[in-house]
Amino acid sequence: MLSAAIYRRVDVIFSPSHQFAPRLHARAPKVPVVYWPNTTEPDVVPIAPDPGRRNALGIGEDHI
């Protein structure tokens, strides 16, 4: 496989999930696989839902 050949030529492989790391390691057993989760920017703060805004826009509680 092309991906296995590429993986064998790198110094380290970063995996965004713990579950996928064993598959990466199987394709390139001599290359270290490091768990590296996806993150957001440090200044991003989640905003709590505003029921008043949902009602004003006509979006019911059953919609995501």
Side-chain angles (χ1 to χ4, degrees):
M1 294 186 122
L2 179 61
S3 60
I6 293 170
Y7 290 145
R8 286 191 300 267
R9 289 174 172 78
V10 298
D11 295 324
V12 65
I13 299 172
F14 293 99
S15 174
S17 72
H18 288 294
Q19 292 81 9
F20 195 60
R23 290 182 179 197
L24 294 170
H25 182 69
R27 291 179 184 236
K30 295 181 181 178
V31 178
V33 177
V34 176
Y35 171 64
W36 193 276
N38 293 325
T39 59
T40 61
E41 296 295 323
D43 58 343
V44 173
V45 178
I47 300 172
D50 180 1
R53 184 177 301 135
R54 293 175 66 92
N55 292 335
L57 294 172
I59 301 171
E61 292 296 323
D62 57 337
H63 291 88
I64 296 177

